[in-house]
Amino acid sequence: MRIGELARRTGVNQRLLRYYEEQGLLRPVRRPSGYREYGDADVEQVRRIRTLLAAGLNTTTIADVLPCTADTGNGLAAACPDLLTDLRRERDRISRSIAELHTARTMLDAIIEATSH
Amino acid sequence: MRIGELARRTGVNQRLLRYYEEQGLLRPVRRPSGYREYGDADVEQVRRIRTLLAAGLNTTTIADVLPCTADTGNGLAAACPDLLTDLRRERDRISRSIAELHTARTMLDAIIEATSH
DNA sequence: CTAGACTTTGACATCGATGTGAGAGTCAAG
DNA sequence: CTTGACTCTCACATCGATGTCAAAGTCTAG
């Protein structure tokens, strides 16, 4: 599919899809015309990117992580070496973030509860 | 206490404490010299601010929310009227965010697990 | 009184993902 | 051939919290 369809199917702006490619997160094939040609798998890939971005990872880190995600699902554990340290750090950061969000939500809930009595 | 101590006790940069005041999140008294004078309660206040910021609320929204947080704890439910809609929206956004973070963490865990087998 | 630590205001920089627009090329349908 | 929808690249703007620096005023210990 071309970029327009991918944008439609993922809800992600074309500008961003190009940006993700620039950052090495997507590798569409090029037609003779120069048009980008994406595969069906890229729909899932974009979802993963969005999830990791939402989790606070930057595109550089995601670029390191993505090659691994493809494998882990299948059972084929790729050789993803020393970025393990980074991954653990990210995971811990996410855990802290989740805890913080819980605190914040509890706070809001208390206000909502008290206000709407 | 003055700004230096508050910064030390909260771990928040002085620059930010001034910024929070500018945004209406803190209201330190001024000494004749112009120095800001904070109360002990402001330590907690700053923590709340940091939590809500981390949860993705912007300073404007936080400025609306904070006056309420002081009360809900005590039982005195202040009249925090129509920002209720905003609060529910924020809470839902936070919930979605938590869900996304869980997804991301699971993803990272899978990779970590598969890699360090 | 003086030195040094602290504070003040104000301005400018940064960061990274994201939005937007212009000008030009591609392509399929009529 | 022409039109309209799609795509390309490139450049510039934005947003909001945060960092940092400069010049000047305040205060306290010696």
Side-chain angles (χ1 to χ4, degrees):
Chain A
M1 83 198 76
R2 283 172 304 173
I3 198 170
E5 186 179 346
L6 183 59
R8 235 172 290 119
R9 285 172 63 175
T10 58
V12 174
N13 196 308
Q14 303 187 11
R15 168 70 176 79
L16 286 182
L17 295 177
R18 298 198 186 96
Y19 174 67
Y20 296 157
E21 175 183 7
E22 186 188 320
Q23 300 297 308
L25 310 186
L26 292 174
R27 306 200 174 276
V29 176
R30 291 306 181 107
R31 294 187 177 176
S33 61
Y35 282 15
R36 293 170 177 81
E37 180 69 22
Y38 296 92
D40 282 338
D42 285 323
V43 176
E44 258 315 299
Q45 187 78 330
V46 171
R47 297 238 168 79
R48 286 194 210 99
I49 293 171
R50 296 300 292 177
T51 297
L52 292 175
L53 276 176
L57 279 70
N58 60 28
T59 54
T60 308
T61 306
I62 296 178
D64 293 338
V65 171
L66 278 185
C68 304
T69 63
D71 302 340
T72 48
N74 306 339
L76 216 179
C80 302
D82 41 28
L83 91 154
L84 213 88
T85 310
D86 290 344
L87 291 192
R88 289 192 212 277
R89 190 181 309 122
E90 291 291 352
R91 183 192 51 186
D92 292 349
R93 191 186 46 70
I94 291 173
S95 292
R96 278 195 303 277
S97 192
I98 290 175
E100 270 183 324
L101 288 183
H102 272 127
T103 304
R105 187 171 62 179
T106 301
M107 218 158 115
L108 292 189
D109 277 340
I111 299 171
I112 292 173
E113 183 60 23
T115 306
S116 59
H117 48 91
Chain B
M1 81 197 76
R2 283 171 305 172
I3 198 170
E5 186 178 346
L6 183 59
R8 234 172 290 119
R9 284 171 64 175
T10 59
V12 174
N13 195 308
Q14 302 187 12
R15 167 69 176 80
L16 286 183
L17 296 177
R18 298 196 186 98
Y19 174 69
Y20 296 158
E21 175 183 8
E22 186 188 320
Q23 300 297 307
L25 309 186
L26 291 174
R27 306 199 174 277
V29 175
R30 291 307 182 105
R31 294 187 177 178
S33 62
Y35 282 16
R36 292 169 177 81
E37 180 68 23
Y38 296 92
D40 282 338
D42 285 323
V43 176
E44 258 315 299
Q45 187 78 330
V46 171
R47 296 235 169 80
R48 287 194 209 98
I49 294 171
R50 296 300 293 178
T51 297
L52 293 175
L53 276 177
L57 279 70
N58 60 28
T59 53
T60 308
T61 305
I62 296 178
D64 293 339
V65 170
L66 279 185
C68 304
T69 62
D71 302 340
T72 48
N74 304 340
L76 216 179
C80 301
D82 40 30
L83 91 153
L84 213 89
T85 310
D86 290 344
L87 291 193
R88 289 192 212 278
R89 189 181 310 120
E90 291 290 353
R91 184 194 48 188
D92 292 349
R93 191 187 46 70
I94 291 174
S95 292
R96 278 196 303 277
S97 191
I98 290 175
E100 271 182 324
L101 288 184
H102 272 126
T103 304
R105 188 172 59 180
T106 301
M107 217 158 117
L108 292 189
D109 278 339
I111 299 172
I112 292 173
E113 183 60 22
T115 306
S116 60
H117 48 88

